[in-house]
Amino acid sequence: MKKIYVIHENDEWTNHLVKRLEELSLPFELWHLDKGLLDLTSVPPEGVFYNRVSASSHTRNHQYAPCFADSVITWLDSHNRTIINGARAL
């Protein structure tokens, strides 16, 4: 089973997903993009990436999250990673 990487900027909107992933015993990792702390010069891990970043993130004082998410998705695309809710979802 590949690891699921949840790309998000809002813990409140992700809690229910985390609970369900735990119930199903699925391997996952949260990538909270409110501060932009990923090294985009490295090779991303193997796995499935699920984008949950909202274009309304600025209303939660995360104004740069959509821009960073777009960069992260471009980075993942360039390494042929599987992305659910890719760049068009932003």
Side-chain angles (χ1 to χ4, degrees), residues 14-80:
T14 309
N15 290 336
H16 69 285
L17 176 60
V18 167
K19 181 179 176 188
R20 187 63 178 145
L21 291 170
E22 289 173 343
E23 288 171 357
L24 295 171
S25 298
L26 295 173
F28 72 94
E29 184 175 318
L30 299 178
W31 285 8
H32 198 296
L33 297 189
D34 66 333
K35 295 187 175 49
L37 298 175
L38 291 174
D39 178 6
L40 301 183
T41 64
S42 66
V43 175
E46 296 287 337
V48 175
F49 297 83
Y50 179 36
N51 175 31
R52 298 271 304 152
V53 174
S54 169
S56 67
S57 64
H58 66 281
T59 64
R60 290 174 297 285
N61 294 319
H62 301 152
Q63 66 241 29
Y64 301 111
C67 293
F68 190 51
D70 186 54
S71 295
V72 169
I73 290 167
T74 299
W75 171 63
L76 294 170
D77 272 337
S78 74
H79 291 277
N80 299 311

